[in-house]
Amino acid sequence: MSTIAIADQRTATPAVRTRLRITRRGRIVLTTVAALPVFLVVALSVLNGGQASAGDSSRAGAPVHFETVTVQPGETLWQLAEETAPQADPRDFVQDVVSLNALDGSTLRAGEQIAIPAKYTVGD
């Protein structure tokens, strides 16, 4: 062996294995990347699954029975509620009539045909 080869063996240090060290910034990036899909799934669930369903879900698709009434000049839904169902809460009556007839508001026009739910006209 030559002198140069012996000298290189003495001065060469063995390879040291180091552990992977993650800096603070690296931990933040790793946490963000891991949490992003979870956040997106929760956000989409809240936005799409949070739709409220009005009414009784057990009666969904059940036929609605009603009677038709012609609106007289100057007549309001509140007056119609007092005449048709005096024992019922007028607010419930107005809301049911507006929903059943898909009205934009509580304004009526003379001669208009309005459907009244049968629960207000029959047996009450």
Side-chain angles (χ1 to χ4, degrees), residues 72-114:
Q72 301 301 318
E75 193 169 31
T76 64
L77 278 175
W78 194 269
Q79 291 169 338
L80 196 58
E82 291 174 346
E83 294 170 6
T84 308
Q87 69 284 359
D89 185 359
R91 295 171 294 191
D92 293 337
F93 176 89
V94 169
Q95 181 59 43
D96 288 345
V97 170
V98 167
S99 296
L100 180 62
N101 293 283
L103 300 174
D104 290 333
S106 59
T107 306
L108 300 176
R109 291 187 308 265
E112 188 175 10
Q113 296 285 324
I114 298 294

Side-chain angles (χ1 to χ4, degrees), residues 23-41:
T23 63
R24 182 173 187 264
R25 184 172 58 173
R27 284 192 298 268
I28 292 171
V29 169
L30 186 63
T31 303
T32 303
V33 169
L36 190 61
V38 174
F39 175 74
L40 288 175
V41 167

Side-chain angles (χ1 to χ4, degrees), residues 2 6-7 16-18 23 34 48 54 58 65-66 75 83 98 122-123:
S2 71
I6 294 174
V16 179
R17 294 190 147 212
T18 59
T23 63
N48 291 332
S58 64
H65 300 287
F66 61 89
E75 193 169 31
E83 294 170 6
V98 167
V122 178

